[in-house]
Amino acid sequence: MIISRGALTFRGICCIFKVGVSVLSEKILVVDDEHEIADLVEVCLANEGFEVVKFYCGEDALKFVQTEACDLAVLDVMLPDIDGFAMVQKLRSSFVFPIIMLTAKCEDTDKITGLMLGADDYITKPFSPPELVARVKTQLRRYTRYNSAAPKANEIDIRGLTINNDSHKCTLNGKEVILTPIEFSVLWYLCSHKNTVVSGEELFEAVWGEKYLDSSNTIMAHIARIREKLGEPPRKPKYIKTVWGVGYTIEE
């Protein structure tokens, strides 16, 4: 079923998605000024056992996360007081939990902007509830791996760039580089395949765990974000190099 604006009342939604017994503990922040969409997202996620905290404006949500821990955020791009892009920037200044953006626009520029600012994924309205739930679970699995200890220390050092898959920390010349879970996964995969050109298709399927369907914009946005955090000059990067028409590589 595809849900569009104004398609269902909250009562109608509840009749379709009965909230079940909670079996998960993750707390999801939902921010959307369209009440019916926000209510739908709340019911879909609560039905899967998630704890949902819902807001209809951005500023109230930002105040909430300053005092309460969250595991993932679902944000609408168009909010009445602060747009979703600005909200992503504010969240990324302090938090690394996954962010999924809801947008009524389908232009690549909007998607790239969100990814460049630190969003992990996006869903275009109208959307299907199963897709929303699947994407939330995918991001949470990655976030859980990011925050859990691995059984063995696993560290790579490439010319001052150190990345540790045990602690999930990255440092550049001794200074910590704060990466989101997806950014860490992208950089780790490239570092663990150093001196090898990794194609966009291989990188996407390894990190996102989904079939590659012309997702080059998603990859480019995350690579650009990582380069920015590493202080890399766009035209002559020291670490992540683009092999045009082939993929990306990090050389020792």
Side-chain angles (χ1 to χ4, degrees), residues 63-102:
K63 291 177 183 177
F64 176 82
V65 297
Q66 296 303 320
T67 58
E68 299 288 339
C70 290
D71 297 292
L72 181 144
V74 179
L75 310 178
D76 186 27
V77 171
M78 305 298 292
L79 295 171
D81 53 346
I82 177 174
D83 70 63
F85 297 137
M87 191 168 177
V88 168
Q89 285 183 298
K90 289 180 179 291
L91 289 174
R92 277 291 170 255
S93 66
S94 303
F95 307 102
V96 296
F97 56 71
I99 298 174
I100 298 176
M101 303 197 75
L102 292 176

Side-chain angles (χ1 to χ4, degrees), residues 149-160:
K152 295 183 179 179
N154 208 349
E155 185 171 284
I156 299 173
D157 188 297
I158 302 176
R159 293 177 283 116

Side-chain angles (χ1 to χ4, degrees), residues 3 22 28 41 48 74 93 105 115 168 178 209 223 234-235:
I3 302 299
S22 179
I28 312 296
V41 174
E48 295 295 321
V74 179
S93 66
K105 301 178 180 180
L115 294 171
H168 278 262
I178 305 299
I223 292 290
R235 296 192 177 184

Side-chain angles (χ1 to χ4, degrees), residues 158-159 161 186-200 202-203 219 223 226-227 230 232 236-252:
I158 302 176
R159 293 177 283 116
L161 174 64
V186 169
L187 185 58
W188 174 259
Y189 194 84
L190 291 174
C191 287
S192 61
H193 292 76
K194 58 187 177 182
N195 302 320
T196 301
V197 179
V198 177
S199 69
E202 177 185 347
L203 183 59
I219 296 171
I223 292 290
I226 296 169
R227 283 173 172 164
L230 296 177
E232 296 251 69
K236 295 188 68 175
K238 181 180 177 181
Y239 293 102
I240 304 177
K241 297 182 179 180
T242 301
V243 181
W244 295 108
V246 183
Y248 303 93
T249 185
I250 292 182
E251 299 174 345
E252 284 188 294

Side-chain angles (χ1 to χ4, degrees), residues 112-144:
I112 293 172
T113 297
L115 294 171
M116 288 286 290
L117 292 175
D120 297 279
D121 200 356
Y122 54 82
I123 300 176
T124 303
K125 299 177 183 177
F127 61 88
S128 69
E131 178 188 8
L132 171 68
V133 171
R135 288 179 180 268
V136 166
K137 288 183 176 180
T138 296
Q139 292 299 329
L140 283 172
R141 282 195 299 270
R142 186 174 291 115
Y143 184 53
T144 300

Side-chain angles (χ1 to χ4, degrees), residues 11-31:
R11 179 179 297 178
I13 293 167
C14 290
C15 290
I16 296 174
F17 299 98
K18 293 184 179 180
V19 178
V21 178
S22 179
V23 294
L24 302 173
S25 59
E26 289 92 342
K27 183 182 294 184
I28 312 296
L29 175 69
V30 175
V31 189

